[in-house]
Each structure stands twice: as C-alpha cells, then as structure tokens.
Amino acid sequence: MTDFNDKQIHILQVAETLFAEHGFDGTSIRTISKEAKINIAMVSYYFGSKEKLLERLIFFRTNDLKLQLKNVSKTEVSPLEKIENFVDLYINKIDANRNLYQILHYEVSSQKRKIDLKAFTEIKKSNLETLKSIIEEGQNQNIFKKNIVIPLLTPTILGTYFHFHSNKSYFKEILNLKTEIDYNNYIKTELSTHIQQTIKSLLLNEGH
Amino acid sequence: MTDFNDKQIHILQVAETLFAEHGFDGTSIRTISKEAKINIAMVSYYFGSKEKLLERLIFFRTNDLKLQLKNVSKTEVSPLEKIENFVDLYINKIDANRNLYQILHYEVSSQKRKIDLKAFTEIKKSNLETLKSIIEEGQNQNIFKKNIVIPLLTPTILGTYFHFHSNKSYFKEILNLKTEIDYNNYIKTELSTHIQQTIKSLLLNEGH
Amino acid sequence: MTDFNDKQIHILQVAETLFAEHGFDGTSIRTISKEAKINIAMVSYYFGSKEKLLERLIFFRTNDLKLQLKNVSKTEVSPLEKIENFVDLYINKIDANRNLYQILHYEVSSQKRKIDLKAFTEIKKSNLETLKSIIEEGQNQNIFKKNIVIPLLTPTILGTYFHFHSNKSYFKEILNLKTEIDYNNYIKTELSTHIQQTIKSLLLNEGH
Amino acid sequence: MTDFNDKQIHILQVAETLFAEHGFDGTSIRTISKEAKINIAMVSYYFGSKEKLLERLIFFRTNDLKLQLKNVSKTEVSPLEKIENFVDLYINKIDANRNLYQILHYEVSSQKRKIDLKAFTEIKKSNLETLKSIIEEGQNQNIFKKNIVIPLLTPTILGTYFHFHSNKSYFKEILNLKTEIDYNNYIKTELSTHIQQTIKSLLLNEGH
DNA sequence: AATGAATGAGTGTTCATTCAT
DNA sequence: CATGAATGAACACTCATTCAT
C-alpha cells in the first residue's frame, strides 16, 4: 500500500499529534478514534493494528522527507553559502515535521518497537554525504578548517533544535516568549541564527 | 519524605533503568516488582502510586544533581579554562545520569505528567547563571565575543550529547563503534572534545 | 429456498470443511470468505447470517443423505446379508459425509444452536425402521436373537466409527498407520469388518 | 502447580460445564465469571489465560482419572467376569466425567488447540494393556475367540456410550425417557447392559 | 446482483490500585 | 510492617452484520 485516502490521512494526522504529545504507549486507539471522530474499529480496519498505524505514519511522513537536501550542494554558490542553505533547509524541515521527529526520537531510543527505520537511516546518511561534500569543497578552498568530525555536526544542528523544543516551557519562561507565535518566531530567527553561527564558527578558518 | 530506605532505593534504581529503556507507560508495576524481586503491592505501598514513584525518582536524582557547577566559576583560572571545566563537568554529569535525563527528556516534552520540575528548573537556572558569569568575565577581558545568546549554549551542549545518545545505534554503525566500551569511550573523548570545540568556537574572539 | 447456485455451493463446501476442522465458533466469516475467495459480505448476502449458513449447509447435505437405506430391506437376500449390506451402506455414507457429521455431532450435543434437525431426525428414524424390519425378519426366521434393543445398535455402529475417527491421531499411532491412505484403508477394511462382526455377534443366535 | 484452592476448583467446575455445553470457543470468560460469580479478571489471574484454564481443567480431571482400571486384571475371577468389571468400571468412569470427555472429544478432533494430551494418551494406552492382558488370558483358557482386534474394542465401548449421549434428546424421544433421572437410569441399566453384551458377544466362543 | 466501507458489540487480556490480614 | 488476593477499568483487537451504491 502506498496511497492513503482522505480518512486514512486524517487518522494519521490525528495519531501523529497524539503520539507526539503523549507517546505511543500513552495514546490509546480509543483516544485516537474519539479525537478523529471515527469508529474505534477503523484503526484496525485501515491499518491492521496500532503498531502498523505507527509504521504507516512513519512511511507517510518519510516519503515526504525524501525530498533531499542534495540539491543544495549542486548550486553555484560559495561553500559557506551552501552550508547556510543546508542548515536552513534542515532546520525548516525538522521544524515542519516536529511531531514525527518527536515520535521517532522516542521510539528510536527505546528500541521496544522494531520499526523499520531503514528508509529513515538512508535519508540521514544521504544528508551526511551532502554535508560532507560541501565541507570538503570548503576545505579544498582553504575556507574551512581541516580537523572537523563531520558526523558530529548533525547532532549539534538537530540536537540544539530538539533540546530547545523539548524544553519548550522552560525556554518560553526564561526567554519571555508569551505566545505560541513568539515561540515559533524565536525558532525561526534567534535559534536558527544560533545554530547557523555555531556551525559556521566550527567550520570557518580564523581570519575569514 | 526526604530519605529513602534501602528497599525504596532499590526500587527507584530498578524503575529508573526500566523507565529509561521502555518509557514510563511502557513499564508496568508488575515488571518493576518482578525485576526488583519485591511484592507487587510494594510500589503503591512505598510511593502511593506509579506516578508518585516517578516523582520520587526525579527528586531522588535531582538531589544528587544539586552538587552544583557553581564552584567552577569561583576557581582562579582563566575564563576559557572555566568554560572548559564547566562543559566537562556538565557532560560528565549528564553522562552519569543518562537514564534519568532520558526519562525526563521524554516526560517533560510530553506534558502529560504534571510533574513538579521546580527543583530541576532551579538547577538549570543556577547553571545558566554560572555560565553567564563566566562568559561575562571573558567578555570583560575581551577574550569572548560580545554578541552571544547565552541561554542557547545549553541546548547546544546538552542537545548535541543527547541527540548522539538517542541515536546510539545509528552512530555506532557509521562511526564503527563495535562494543559498548568503544561507544562510551567515544563519548568521553571525541564527542566531549567536539562539544568543547563547538562552545569555544562560538565564544572566542578571532585571533585568540 | 431449495436450490443453490454454483457460488453458494462453493461457499457451503468451503464452510463445511472449515466448520469440521475448527468448529462453528472457531470459524469466522472472514476465514470462509478468504478461503472461498469471495467478498466478505457474500455470506450474509446469500444466506442471511452465519447461523443460517450452517442451517443451509445441513439442509444441503441432508438432502443428499435422503437417498435412503430403505431399499436394502427390499432385496431378495437373507436377513444376515441384508444386515451386512445395511451396515456397509451406513458406514460408507457416514464416511463420505465425515465433515457434516463432525459438525452435526458437535452442534447437536451442544444445543446452543436451535438448528432445525427435523429432517435429520426423520432420516435416522427411517433408518431405524429399516433396521428394525430386517431384524424382525431374522428373528422370525429364528436366525437372530430375540432380546435385542434395536435402537442401541445405531450408537454401536456410528459410535464405533466416530470414536475411531475422532481419535484419528491416537489410532494412527497405535495401529501404525503412517499415511492418510493407510488410515482411510483401515477404515474401509478392518474397522468396517469390526463393526460388521460386532453387529452380527450381537444378532446371531449361537450355532449359526 | 498441582493443587487448586477452593475458588480455583469452583472456576474449573463452572468452566467445565460451560465448555461442555457451548464449546470452548462458544464460552467467553465473561460468561464463566458471571456464572461463577467471580470477577472477570480472576480467570487470567488464576490460570494465566483462557487456554491455560482448559489445560488446567484437563490436568485436574485427568489426575482424577489416573486411578487406573489396572487392578481389574489382578483380581481372582474368571476372564469373563474381569471383562464385565472392566467395562462396568470404564463406563462408570466416563459417565462420571461426561463433561470433560465431551470437551476433550471436540478439542481433540479439532486439533486447533495444541493441548498436551500425553497424560491422557498414557491412560488410554494403560487401559488398552489391561484389556489386552485380560483377553489374552481368556484366549489361553479357550473361552475367548482368537481373532479379535483388541484396539477396536475401546471405540465400541466408548463410541456407543458417547454417540448415545451426544444424541441425548433424540434418544430421550424415541426411548420415551421423560426425565433426566430416566435418562441417567437408562444409561446405567440398558445402555450398560447393551455395551456389556456387545463386547461379550464379540469375545465369547460359541458354545460357551 | 454484488461489494467495499463502516460499525457497535463483544473478545481475551493487562493495568494500577485497594484491602483484609 | 508487609503482602497475597482481588478488582474495575481500560486495553488492542475481532466479530458478524449492515448499508449505500
């Protein structure tokens, strides 16, 4: 099965939100069906089981994520600009898929579910390759430092974002972000800039 | 209640491991009591409820975490060295309390549980203050940059660590870390160094 | 309704096998429809309900069974030969309708289903009459014993067969019947002979 | 677990009756708990699962059945009397355990449940050995016929009984047995005698 | 004439918790 | 002080059946 009908997509979206909010175990089929205003048997009917619903959800979103960051490395701009574009796109993408990442984050770390994350891993590896090629280009042009552990850049980019988001209420408090809009704006401006600067500081040779 | 007897501590430790592995919802009182080799009614008897067990666990560990990073700022070394010590201590602390942080990370982001995190927030604020005072000292000495959003440094430090740890199996694969020892070593050496460099790159004025 | 179209007969046959194998309750409409490669709604559509499907199945097969044993008593042979023919025909008939009898056996003894077994009872009564007339003929000719409880002969004929068949695997083991063919052969030879001998021993006057 | 407490025995007894009446699949845990006036969770609590309840029930009754028929062959009476005692005891035993046999009969023939029937098979084999030794004794004394397929005697004994019992309402009708007492009396007198005669007719040499 | 979508009722089982002892 | 027995509520899931098309 590759396509989903409207009702299935609706269920997936409701489930995504609830899973992100309360976790997979913390969300019952009853809650999903109540929230989605569907019959309780529909989940099993459409997806077979609760676990398979999760699988299909990941598939559904991963398909969306497959639009790669690859193209960034192919544009005719400086390596630095490529990095900026790459980080920007990356943050935008995970920000747009907050909920899925939230779910995945948890389900991956607790390996209880034997979810097929191959597709997901592939995307991560592909992104890593893209990043690597950009950085090597910059290193060849002597713009970037030589001693960089590239695989640790992703944890810094994503980790910073997620840690901020995971501690939403804490940061809303200490940064005085009163509304949801304020919070989202802060991510798109200050936090993004911070991550950009972090990565660039790490990469750039002094004097540039 | 402030003190715990041996049996209670034993239960807390078992629960901590299980919660970290399978999540709060994914861990049943039955599993805890079986693992801890205690009667199933003991949890309710000692802690009142499963939820309160979690609260007490957080309290138990937070107490432990209260050994502040404060002292770092009071030593007679350069601001840069203070930062190094601070980051080192911070990483060591969260590494030693992986399981609790894993639990908290999840339970905080899903605000289902209305856990009293005041004590925990206090620690974070206190650490932030310490960090702030160190950085300001360095800025006054013109060693550190001026335009630094200090509250975003913690997300970078902790986020990098946690994102790495959350994707343990992925990083074990791509970094070719075969054993648990290799993995733990990598955290203590490469990952720590990476985080150190990241923070220092962000802080240090060019030319220093 | 008396006649069945091809699709209905197909469903009945599939259902018969499954009911015999897994019982009525143990067989779901889903399983039937999957096995018969028909739409799941077809059963209700054609037969009204699962219960009615069973009724129609019994009707379908009972119709088949109506080819009476009556004629046996009308042939021009000795009462003993008539008995032999009667038992032979009876065993052959139930052997050919194993599955139905298996189902009936269970569904009759558990009176949960209020199935209309009138037609079936009629057949049994008719067979009993036939048997009775043969035996009385033999008794009049002084070939058969006088003190025979005729209604208890059927339990011995059918009971012996069914008990053997119900404990198929046990008897395959102790009689060293390795294949299905061996087993079926044993029924047609040894078991049939045993039943024949049993009945004849019961009926025949000593000295004949 | 070998022993059962009063409540467990009560549940087993209620379940036995219901399983015999409506089959295993046709009996829900809810029905059992309602009938036994216990909480619905008790079945799982005491037996682990519905299937295990059945297993324990079989174990419970089989233990009872283990009181072997062996001793019959050791008494100081004629082989014919031994046979009479054997058949009598056998019928009494299955009559006293009607319900269990009813359940087993069905669950064995439909091999859906992979019940451990080893103990049960052992009893059957032991009984067969006993029967064999009695018959051989009679054959040596020239009282019994030589050409007897001993393993087929059990199907005749048990099969006759069970077929009668399975068609209870039919036989109550044609034999004009109005009450339950009449029915049970008939089994203990006429039916038992019939089975006795059947076996003896099969065994005894003419002229004796 | 036939079916895919949908449903409410029911299934066995597990849960955290309570309570008498 | 500690626990085994017991429970009602909730769980994911399957059931036979209905109905619009």
Side-chain angles (χ1 to χ4, degrees), chain D residues 50-65:
Chain D
K50 190 186 169 189
E51 199 127 330
K52 273 179 195 152
L53 165 65
L54 177 59
E55 270 175 35
R56 301 309 291 163
L57 171 60
I58 294 171
F59 173 83
F60 176 59
R61 288 292 185 219
T62 310
N63 244 11
D64 191 54
L65 288 172

Side-chain angles (χ1 to χ4, degrees), chain B residues 91-147:
Chain B
I91 294 176
N92 275 329
K93 203 168 252 184
I94 58 178
D95 194 43
N97 287 280
R98 274 180 199 181
N99 282 340
L100 180 74
Y101 277 95
Q102 170 87 348
I103 298 166
L104 274 175
H105 168 77
Y106 179 64
E107 294 300 327
V108 169
S109 60
S110 89
Q111 290 140 322
K112 193 170 48 164
R113 240 78 58 192
K114 62 252 159 241
I115 299 164
D116 183 30
L117 294 165
K118 235 178 287 176
F120 206 74
T121 303
E122 283 316 305
I123 294 175
K124 288 201 285 188
K125 283 185 180 168
S126 161
N127 290 342
L128 185 56
E129 283 309 307
T130 305
L131 184 59
K132 204 176 158 193
S133 74
I134 300 174
I135 290 176
E136 282 168 354
E137 188 191 351
Q139 287 174 328
N140 289 336
Q141 295 177 24
N142 229 13
I143 309 171
F144 293 165
K145 289 181 189 153
K146 299 289 183 200
N147 60 334

Side-chain angles (χ1 to χ4, degrees), chain A residues 16 61 64-65 88-102 161-162 165 184 187-188:
Chain A
E16 184 179 38
R61 287 293 185 220
D64 190 54
L65 288 171
D88 241 29
L89 262 171
Y90 215 159
I91 294 176
N92 275 329
K93 202 168 252 185
I94 57 178
D95 194 45
N97 287 280
R98 274 179 199 181
N99 283 339
L100 180 74
Y101 276 95
Q102 170 86 348
Y161 172 87
F162 284 126
H165 189 50
N184 286 326
I187 287 180
K188 297 221 181 255

